[in-house]
Amino acid sequence: RLSFCRAIIEAATQNESLTTLNLSATAAGESSTKALGNLIRQNTSLARVDASCNDFGEEGGAIVSEALETNKTLQSIDVRMSNVGENHKKAISEMLKSRFTF
């Protein structure tokens, strides 16, 4: 069964002009996180994602971190209160910080 959140993410994967996506508090779990990882890897127009207040878990944190390694255009992803684990939060934060030059 396809969750609402996963359906939104999969539809967003097809949208090449999407720049912001709010998935906050959508009860996203593991299957949604895998779809989000695919979205991050494939969509180069996406600049901001709010994925806060979900239940991605440690595996979801790893999926998002790995996806960010290939997507160099995403500027912000909020994973607060999404249970991604401190190590993954730090890795995500460091990857995003490295994209900005002053």
Side-chain angles (χ1 to χ4, degrees):
R1 188 179 140 200
L2 190 63
S3 73
F4 173 74
C5 182
R6 186 169 160 207
I8 294 295
I9 295 168
E10 289 181 1
T13 303
Q14 306 302 317
N15 185 329
E16 295 178 6
S17 62
L18 184 69
T19 60
T20 303
L21 182 61
N22 186 344
L23 301 169
S24 179
T26 54
E30 184 179 324
S31 69
S32 297
T33 309
K34 289 177 182 176
L36 180 59
N38 288 334
L39 172 66
I40 292 169
R41 278 190 287 282
Q42 295 173 15
N43 188 314
T44 57
S45 66
L46 199 58
R48 290 176 181 75
V49 175
D50 182 350
S52 62
C53 303
N54 286 293
D55 190 23
F56 294 158
E58 290 278 338
E59 184 179 344
I63 289 168
V64 171
S65 294
E66 290 168 10
L68 283 172
E69 291 176 11
T70 58
N71 180 316
K72 304 299 182 193
T73 58
L74 190 67
Q75 298 170 2
S76 161
I77 183 164
D78 185 351
V79 292
R80 288 176 296 147
M81 298 174 57
S82 288
N83 195 28
V84 297
E86 289 303 314
N87 290 338
H88 298 301
K89 274 190 212 176
K90 185 175 180 180
I92 291 166
S93 176
E94 291 300 317
M95 276 188 260
L96 293 175
K97 282 181 190 176
S98 71
R99 297 174 187 201
F100 294 97
T101 56
F102 297 97

